[in-house]
Amino acid sequence: MAFGFKLSSAWSYDDGDIETNRSANPHLSDLVAQRYSRRQALFGGVSAIGAATLLAGCGGDDDGPALSVSAGDSVTTSGGRMVNLVGGVSGGTATASSWTQVSGPPVALTPGATGDTVAFSAPNVASATPLVFRFSAVNQAGPANADTTVTVNTAELGFAAVAKSLADTVTVPTGYSVTVLYRLGDPINAATSAYANNGTDTGFSARAGDHHDGMSYFGLAASGAAPDPANSARGLLVLNHENITQLMLHANGPTTVNGARPEAEALKEIEAHGVSVIEVSRAGASGAWSYAQGSALNRRITPNTAMDIYGPARGDASLRTVFSPTGIAGRGTINNCANGYTPWNTYLTAEENWTGYFRRTLGDAAARGGPTAKVNVSLARYGRSDAATQAAPNGPQGNYGWAGVQAADPASTLFRKWNITSVAGAPADGTGDFRNEIFQYGWIVEIDPFNPASTPRKRTALGRMNHEGAWPGRFVAGTRPAWYMGDDAQNEYIYKFVSTAPWVAADATGTDRLALGDKYLDAGTLYVARFDADGTGVWLPLVFGLGPLTAANAAYSFSSQADVLINARLAGDALGATRMDRPEWTAVNPANGEMYCTLTNNSSRTTANTNASNPRAYTDLKRPTGDQVNADPPSPPSRTNGNPNGQVIRLRETGDTTEATAFIWDVYAFGSGADLNRDNINLSGLDDTNDFSSPDGLWFSRAQNAGGTINPLVWVQTDDGAYTDVTNCMMLLGQPGRVGDGTTRTITNTITPLTGAPTTGTATARVGAVPGTKLRRFLVGPVQCEITGIDSTPDGRTVFVNIQHPGEEATSVATLASNWPANQGGAAPSPTGARPRSATIVITKNDGAVVGL
Ligand code: FEO
Ligand code: CA
Ligand code: CA
Ligand code: CA
């Protein structure tokens, strides 16, 4: 809300120096000199001058009577909101006027619409704090001042909850605006044509990829290719392209020729994966955002881009292929889901569901030593036993069948690398085929967005898994920093990497950014989390030789630290880590260092295998929708058993330090429909304003603005299939409390199968303080999308969000389910309308306040 000040409570100033004889004007030069000297006497040395103006022209009527000025009524606001100060002048014409701050936490005053108006974004404060501002005006008769007081309270949510929605549009609260910034296929250099969006486009290494996901904004210096972490008007937006909606990329969907994918189609699909780096800027302080199509900093990184391998697994025998016989370099990153960042201005991208892209032919396990051979134990633990491959959705081809492409250039290995079947007669060390290619995936990859020529580095010290992201804890000089990570598959673990190198604040401005990555990300300790029933937990170190991580381990004989990191899941098994409900994103509260992790859902959770941190197992009924409703007889509700709605867990490190090896924990919020049983399922008491399902994307506002201080805002994004009979996926905004602020409850779980008897069990749930009005739905997305990926400008007044795969369930390009974003603004989806496109959107508050406040 903006505050317009009325011209009441006028406080006039009259020093008695009134001149009425207009016939005796001084010479112009004298007049100007006098004005400047008076103005400087009035305002010199005062900080935060907002809008000093020199009025009147030559020989103007500036020798009028003494002025009356007003500064408006005193008002109350809260952190992050915009305040407009409106000065008033009466009784004459001022020769100069200005606003200055008299007391309180300093703010930056920016000019408003008129010379007597200024605006500022209220700072966040721990308790009610007065800020006093003075409006001053002067004419030949002398100066006049008036003061006003703005009392600022602690930041609070500044919007009414958005209703659940099945509409094909992005909905945000009243008072907020959405624009579309960067869509699938948008060109990122001057030579590439606009996207036709009809399946004929090519050249995706110079276009936006598909399935926008994790994203970070890096402020860009006015001088060009250097960071300016304070710049909220120009930056590099770096975002992941996790996957593709294959149907929409081709004129009539994907094709095969004699059972093989055409090379051009496969190349397009491959290049639509990866990462984008794009330059974005704002037109003026409050204008529209756009990306610079011709920026030299724009870059696409794809599954074909050269990569270097760093950390303990660099050069390991199990990473060697015919393309990279030394195992120190490779090619490509894929299924980049969530993200992370470093304070030295690099981007971290996470390789998530990479396993399924690889073909592995039945019989390969026998050819490579049988089921107990280490390589086969490893491949099976990561979902790529040769039998599992045959059962995968795309059968033995691997996702999208790229391994079967017959490249026009016989020497090309761009497609062959997707087949990890060992070639009969090839060297057993893997240097003659691509049997080891899959071990080059599953890593956190560091990218220097400010150097388009740099080669990304895979940071193997952070372990190999279905990486969701790598979010850092707080950086404290002299303390070893940490990055928190989820492994997103059913019953997988939560990890933390703690660097060996204590943080040196000066490194934040280092210019050899990837060398700083070497310093902090190549040596350290990877830990896996065990959550105990009493609300405590421990970080178990994945260190070769410690505990069970030796050659004597029965399930898998570890041979080195590289072996432990490449097989982090097997190490977590041996250490007794807690099997979680699919750990997705991690985020850290910048005010207190508490770490949050979304546990999205888990269909294999049963009443018999719940634990305190994953306590729910129940049956979710999903009402029939669309054609199912009109069927005769109508379709019955479908059921999902297990934990269909997910939860957000959080932990507080002992001593509030990233170096801790123990923590306490609870659950911030349990996902649920508002109508479900509050004793056993809707444990957080969600209502119509904040009920959600399958939390996935997760973020805290930046500490650089009011949203990220005192009581920071947490943003929760959903990737849901359970509640989509009621609403499209969404984003919520909350002000959470702290670990341990809630209650411990005993719940009864019941799973009711379609046939047979229900199963029941009990569990202890540690439920954070009920979110209530401190958690609200902020955004609902278009049909069949996922909301994922978020960052803001440093000032928090622009938020970037990704809308992933709208309309992804269409089975034909002739029967589209969504036309978003072409129809953003309210048009209903048309089966013959524009094809849907994943896209980055920009959200601003219309009055310029910090988004959400
Ligand atoms: Fe890419 Fe686990 O979501
Ligand atoms: Ca995700
Ligand atoms: Ca997900
Ligand atoms: Ca997804």
Side-chain angles (χ1 to χ4, degrees):
M1 178 184 295
F3 295 89
F5 286 79
K6 294 195 174 70
L7 302 182
S8 59
S9 75
W11 183 95
S12 66
Y13 177 85
D14 183 351
D15 66 358
D17 182 17
I18 298 173
E19 166 62 71
T20 57
N21 184 351
R22 291 167 189 270
S23 67
N25 282 340
H27 289 290
L28 177 62
S29 57
D30 296 333
L31 179 63
V32 170
Q34 189 178 23
R35 281 179 187 145
Y36 273 116
S37 83
R38 284 201 183 193
R39 183 174 158 222
Q40 282 159 356
L42 262 176
F43 308 126
V46 180
S47 64
I49 291 175
T53 48
L54 184 64
L55 303 175
C58 314
D61 57 346
D62 40 38
D63 296 326
L67 299 173
S68 276
V69 296
S70 61
D73 294 330
S74 293
V75 295
T76 299
T77 186
S78 57
R81 296 196 181 160
M82 287 306 290
V83 179
N84 295 308
L85 301 175
V86 181
V89 177
S90 58
T93 302
T95 53
S97 62
S98 79
W99 278 98
T100 57
Q101 185 174 359
V102 175
S103 65
V107 300
L109 297 177
T110 56
T114 71
D116 290 340
T117 306
V118 291
F120 69 92
S121 178
N124 204 6
V125 288
S127 58
T129 302
L131 281 66
V132 177
F133 298 89
R134 176 165 300 158
F135 179 64
S136 302
V138 63
N139 70 356
Q140 293 301 88
N145 298 326
D147 288 0
T148 190
T149 300
V150 177
T151 301
V152 180
N153 288 318
T154 307
E156 56 187 39
L157 299 181
F159 61 95
V162 165
K164 287 167 284 198
S165 169
L166 292 167
D168 191 37
T169 193
V170 173
T171 307
V172 292
T174 302
Y176 287 83
S177 295
V178 169
T179 58
V180 179
L181 179 69
Y182 183 60
R183 304 159 295 182
L184 162 70
D186 277 340
I188 66 161
N189 64 23
T192 299
S193 60
Y195 195 56
N197 194 25
N198 59 11
T200 64
D201 300 277
T202 58
F204 273 73
S205 63
R207 295 187 182 280
D210 205 350
H211 285 213
H212 301 34
D213 209 313
M215 172 169 57
S216 290
Y217 173 93
F218 296 88
L220 185 59
S223 58
D228 174 2
N231 196 339
S232 291
R234 182 185 181 212
L236 295 178
L237 206 55
V238 189
L239 61 144
N240 295 336
H241 300 289
E242 183 186 36
N243 196 359
I244 57 173
T245 303
Q246 189 187 30
L247 176 70
M248 302 298 170
L249 293 178
H250 309 293
N252 287 297
T255 65
T256 56
V257 176
N258 298 326
R261 299 296 314 286
E263 181 175 2
E265 286 188 16
L267 184 64
K268 180 190 293 192
E269 294 169 9
I270 290 168
E271 290 182 338
H273 287 74
V275 178
S276 280
V277 180
I278 53 163
E279 182 182 335
V280 296
S281 62
R282 187 165 205 184
S286 59
W289 283 88
S290 60
Y291 79 95
Q293 181 179 343
S295 172
L297 292 168
N298 291 345
R299 183 182 188 187
R300 279 299 317 285
I301 291 164
T302 77
N304 293 336
T305 301
M307 300 276 151
D308 287 330
I309 297 165
Y310 274 68
R314 176 178 169 87
D316 190 78
S318 61
L319 270 60
R320 296 177 189 177
T321 73
V322 65
F323 180 80
S324 44
T326 60
I328 64 169
R331 182 173 47 185
T333 185
I334 202 164
N335 209 261
N336 306 84
C337 188
N339 62 311
Y341 73 95
T342 72
W344 53 93
N345 297 297
T346 61
Y347 180 77
L348 301 177
T349 188
E351 299 176 339
E352 189 195 6
N353 290 303
W354 37 274
T355 311
Y357 292 87
F358 293 97
R359 171 194 287 191
R360 192 177 185 210
T361 305
L362 195 61
D364 186 57
R368 295 165 78 175
T372 60
K374 278 183 64 176
V375 67
N376 290 320
V377 173
S378 172
L379 287 168
R381 184 65 180 83
Y382 284 83
R384 202 73 330 190
S385 68
D386 56 1
T389 311
Q390 316 314 305
N394 291 296
Q397 298 301 319
N399 300 351
Y400 312 126
W402 301 334
V405 171
Q406 304 301 308
D409 173 6
S412 170
T413 55
L414 284 183
F415 306 106
R416 273 201 284 141
K417 80 168 188 177
W418 299 105
N419 187 350
I420 62 164
T421 308
S422 57
V423 173
D429 68 1
T431 57
D433 56 22
F434 286 100
R435 70 184 67 188
N436 288 335
E437 180 73 12
I438 197 168
F439 294 105
Q440 293 195 357
Y441 290 85
W443 304 107
I444 295 294
V445 186
E446 186 180 18
I447 295 168
D448 178 0
F450 294 93
N451 181 0
S454 60
T455 302
R457 296 184 181 174
K458 298 202 171 189
R459 298 297 183 187
T460 63
L462 280 68
R464 178 169 164 270
M465 60 196 75
N466 284 25
H467 270 298
E468 265 296 323
W471 200 261
R474 294 180 298 177
F475 293 87
V476 177
T479 297
R480 290 175 287 132
W483 282 261
Y484 297 92
M485 302 173 281
D487 179 359
D488 181 14
Q490 292 175 18
N491 309 306
E492 292 299 343
Y493 310 132
I494 294 173
Y495 297 80
K496 170 172 82 162
F497 171 78
V498 181
S499 177
T500 296
W503 174 238
V504 174
D507 284 340
T509 54
T511 53
D512 191 347
R513 288 172 285 274
L514 291 176
L516 288 164
D518 299 348
K519 173 181 175 181
Y520 288 104
L521 297 173
D522 283 347
T525 304
L526 183 65
Y527 297 90
V528 67
R530 193 187 73 214
F531 293 82
D532 292 330
D534 64 358
T536 65
V538 291
W539 291 111
L540 306 162
L542 274 69
V543 175
F544 176 65
L546 268 189
L549 304 183
T550 67
N553 184 53
Y556 183 85
S557 174
F558 292 99
S559 59
S560 66
Q561 183 62 25
D563 199 16
V564 166
L565 295 168
I566 292 166
N567 294 288
R569 284 181 170 176
L570 288 160
D573 296 347
L575 291 166
T578 302
R579 294 154 60 91
M580 310 300 288
D581 289 337
R582 293 186 54 198
E584 294 253 17
W585 290 47
T586 48
V588 172
N589 184 322
N592 58 34
E594 291 183 357
M595 193 283 288
Y596 286 56
C597 180
T598 43
L599 303 172
T600 194
N601 54 56
N602 187 353
S603 60
S604 63
R605 190 64 67 188
T606 69
T607 55
N609 72 9
T610 57
N611 55 52
S613 49
N614 305 270
R616 295 185 304 172
Y618 52 100
T619 296
D620 182 64
L621 295 180
K622 186 174 174 184
R623 284 143 278 202
T625 56
D627 291 345
Q628 298 170 317
V629 175
N630 301 322
D632 185 20
S635 302
S638 60
R639 329 177 147 238
T640 307
N641 293 328
N643 173 7
N645 301 127
Q647 65 264 21
V648 184
I649 199 168
R650 62 185 174 183
L651 64 82
R652 178 180 183 177
E653 301 277 23
T654 301
D656 296 322
T657 171
T658 48
E659 297 181 351
T661 56
F663 54 84
I664 58 172
W665 64 270
D666 69 7
V667 171
Y668 164 54
F670 286 92
S672 173
D675 55 337
L676 298 184
N677 178 307
R678 293 193 175 203
D679 292 329
N680 297 315
I681 298 174
N682 186 10
L683 304 181
S684 296
L686 303 182
D687 60 28
D688 269 339
T689 68
N690 59 15
D691 58 341
F692 70 91
S693 177
S694 300
D696 191 331
L698 186 68
W699 183 70
F700 272 92
S701 292
R702 289 173 171 233
Q704 293 148 295
N705 64 71
T709 57
I710 315 288
N711 189 8
L713 304 178
V714 66
W715 306 65
V716 180
Q717 304 174 317
T718 69
D719 173 19
D720 187 41
Y723 205 32
T724 45
D725 51 336
V726 172
T727 182
N728 298 339
C729 286
M730 64 182 71
M731 179 167 73
L732 306 105
L733 189 40
Q735 285 185 305
R738 300 215 54 176
V739 171
D741 63 7
T743 57
T744 300
R745 293 159 58 176
T746 301
I747 64 171
T748 300
N749 288 310
T750 306
I751 283 181
T752 309
L754 257 184
T755 58
T759 60
T760 62
T762 58
T764 300
R766 310 187 74 82
V767 188
V770 170
T773 58
K774 294 285 191 184
L775 179 67
R776 284 177 215 164
R777 190 177 303 104
F778 181 85
L779 175 153
V780 181
V783 169
Q784 295 168 10
C785 79
E786 166 184 349
I787 310 298
T788 183
I790 175 170
D791 200 356
S792 77
T793 49
D795 65 10
R797 294 158 76 172
T798 299
V799 165
F800 304 95
V801 170
N802 283 327
I803 307 296
Q804 190 185 78
H805 63 59
E808 69 164 349
E809 293 169 24
T811 54
S812 156
V813 294
T815 54
L816 300 175
S818 167
N819 307 127
W820 194 89
N823 63 340
Q824 175 66 26
S830 150
T832 55
R835 293 184 184 192
R837 302 160 78 179
S838 295
T840 303
I841 61 169
V842 176
I843 302 171
T844 51
K845 197 171 183 182
N846 297 344
D847 68 5
V850 172
V851 175
L853 297 180

